[in-house]
PDB file of all heavy atoms in Angstrom:
ATOM      1  N   GLY A 168       6.311  22.830 -17.177  1.00  0.00           N
ATOM      2  CA  GLY A 168       5.777  23.585 -18.357  1.00  0.00           C
ATOM      3  C   GLY A 168       6.121  25.050 -18.239  1.00  0.00           C
ATOM      4  O   GLY A 168       6.537  25.712 -19.189  1.00  0.00           O
ATOM      5  N   LEU A 169       5.909  25.567 -17.047  1.00  0.00           N
ATOM      6  CA  LEU A 169       6.154  26.980 -16.792  1.00  0.00           C
ATOM      7  C   LEU A 169       7.621  27.320 -16.990  1.00  0.00           C
ATOM      8  O   LEU A 169       7.983  28.351 -17.632  1.00  0.00           O
ATOM      9  CB  LEU A 169       5.772  27.287 -15.347  1.00  0.00           C
ATOM     10  CG  LEU A 169       5.384  28.665 -14.921  1.00  0.00           C
ATOM     11  CD1 LEU A 169       4.419  29.295 -15.916  1.00  0.00           C
ATOM     12  CD2 LEU A 169       4.757  28.642 -13.515  1.00  0.00           C
ATOM     13  N   LEU A 170       8.515  26.441 -16.521  1.00  0.00           N
ATOM     14  CA  LEU A 170       9.961  26.666 -16.728  1.00  0.00           C
ATOM     15  C   LEU A 170      10.254  26.757 -18.241  1.00  0.00           C
ATOM     16  O   LEU A 170      11.000  27.626 -18.698  1.00  0.00           O
ATOM     17  CB  LEU A 170      10.785  25.570 -16.056  1.00  0.00           C
ATOM     18  CG  LEU A 170      10.909  25.667 -14.545  1.00  0.00           C
ATOM     19  CD1 LEU A 170      11.461  24.356 -13.965  1.00  0.00           C
ATOM     20  CD2 LEU A 170      11.820  26.815 -14.108  1.00  0.00           C
ATOM     21  N   ALA A 171       9.660  25.768 -18.974  1.00  0.00           N
ATOM     22  CA  ALA A 171       9.900  25.790 -20.410  1.00  0.00           C
ATOM     23  C   ALA A 171       9.364  27.061 -21.074  1.00  0.00           C
ATOM     24  O   ALA A 171      10.016  27.654 -21.902  1.00  0.00           O
ATOM     25  CB  ALA A 171       9.226  24.560 -21.070  1.00  0.00           C
ATOM     26  N   SER A 172       8.185  27.530 -20.600  1.00  0.00           N
ATOM     27  CA  SER A 172       7.628  28.778 -21.172  1.00  0.00           C
ATOM     28  C   SER A 172       8.516  29.985 -20.889  1.00  0.00           C
ATOM     29  O   SER A 172       8.475  30.941 -21.620  1.00  0.00           O
ATOM     30  CB  SER A 172       6.178  28.982 -20.692  1.00  0.00           C
ATOM     31  OG  SER A 172       6.187  29.409 -19.321  1.00  0.00           O
ATOM     32  N   LEU A 173       9.316  29.872 -19.821  1.00  0.00           N
ATOM     33  CA  LEU A 173      10.217  30.988 -19.504  1.00  0.00           C
ATOM     34  C   LEU A 173      11.505  30.881 -20.322  1.00  0.00           C
ATOM     35  O   LEU A 173      12.402  31.737 -20.220  1.00  0.00           O
ATOM     36  CB  LEU A 173      10.592  30.977 -18.032  1.00  0.00           C
ATOM     37  CG  LEU A 173       9.488  31.116 -17.021  1.00  0.00           C
ATOM     38  CD1 LEU A 173       9.954  30.958 -15.590  1.00  0.00           C
ATOM     39  CD2 LEU A 173       8.793  32.482 -17.185  1.00  0.00           C
ATOM     40  N   GLY A 174      11.647  29.788 -21.041  1.00  0.00           N
ATOM     41  CA  GLY A 174      12.864  29.584 -21.828  1.00  0.00           C
ATOM     42  C   GLY A 174      13.956  28.921 -21.037  1.00  0.00           C
ATOM     43  O   GLY A 174      15.143  29.036 -21.378  1.00  0.00           O
ATOM     44  N   ARG A 175      13.574  28.172 -19.986  1.00  0.00           N
ATOM     45  CA  ARG A 175      14.545  27.503 -19.182  1.00  0.00           C
ATOM     46  C   ARG A 175      14.601  26.011 -19.561  1.00  0.00           C
ATOM     47  O   ARG A 175      13.581  25.361 -19.632  1.00  0.00           O
ATOM     48  CB  ARG A 175      14.184  27.596 -17.695  1.00  0.00           C
ATOM     49  CG  ARG A 175      14.263  28.999 -17.123  1.00  0.00           C
ATOM     50  CD  ARG A 175      15.697  29.347 -16.773  1.00  0.00           C
ATOM     51  NE  ARG A 175      16.334  28.378 -15.913  1.00  0.00           N
ATOM     52  CZ  ARG A 175      16.443  28.522 -14.612  1.00  0.00           C
ATOM     53  NH1 ARG A 175      16.018  29.580 -14.020  1.00  0.00           N
ATOM     54  NH2 ARG A 175      17.067  27.586 -13.904  1.00  0.00           N
ATOM     55  N   CYS A 176      15.798  25.496 -19.802  1.00  0.00           N
ATOM     56  CA  CYS A 176      15.955  24.080 -20.108  1.00  0.00           C
ATOM     57  C   CYS A 176      16.429  23.301 -18.936  1.00  0.00           C
ATOM     58  O   CYS A 176      16.350  22.058 -18.920  1.00  0.00           O
ATOM     59  CB  CYS A 176      16.993  23.912 -21.219  1.00  0.00           C
ATOM     60  SG  CYS A 176      16.470  24.693 -22.728  1.00  0.00           S
ATOM     61  N   THR A 177      17.027  23.970 -17.924  1.00  0.00           N
ATOM     62  CA  THR A 177      17.527  23.276 -16.771  1.00  0.00           C
ATOM     63  C   THR A 177      17.014  23.976 -15.479  1.00  0.00           C
ATOM     64  O   THR A 177      16.593  25.108 -15.577  1.00  0.00           O
ATOM     65  CB  THR A 177      19.085  23.270 -16.706  1.00  0.00           C
ATOM     66  OG1 THR A 177      19.527  24.651 -16.698  1.00  0.00           O
ATOM     67  CG2 THR A 177      19.708  22.561 -17.850  1.00  0.00           C
ATOM     68  N   ALA A 178      17.107  23.300 -14.389  1.00  0.00           N
ATOM     69  CA  ALA A 178      16.688  23.921 -13.120  1.00  0.00           C
ATOM     70  C   ALA A 178      17.592  23.361 -12.035  1.00  0.00           C
ATOM     71  O   ALA A 178      18.175  22.247 -12.151  1.00  0.00           O
ATOM     72  CB  ALA A 178      15.250  23.563 -12.809  1.00  0.00           C
ATOM     73  N   LEU A 179      17.749  24.148 -10.987  1.00  0.00           N
ATOM     74  CA  LEU A 179      18.520  23.716  -9.821  1.00  0.00           C
ATOM     75  C   LEU A 179      17.565  23.124  -8.779  1.00  0.00           C
ATOM     76  O   LEU A 179      16.626  23.809  -8.364  1.00  0.00           O
ATOM     77  CB  LEU A 179      19.233  25.003  -9.202  1.00  0.00           C
ATOM     78  CG  LEU A 179      20.423  24.792  -8.386  1.00  0.00           C
ATOM     79  CD1 LEU A 179      21.528  24.151  -9.213  1.00  0.00           C
ATOM     80  CD2 LEU A 179      20.888  26.112  -7.774  1.00  0.00           C
TER      81      LEU A 179
END
Side-chain angles (χ1 to χ4, degrees):
L169 204 45
L170 284 166
S172 72
L173 299 175
R175 291 281 306 261
C176 299
T177 58
L179 203 62

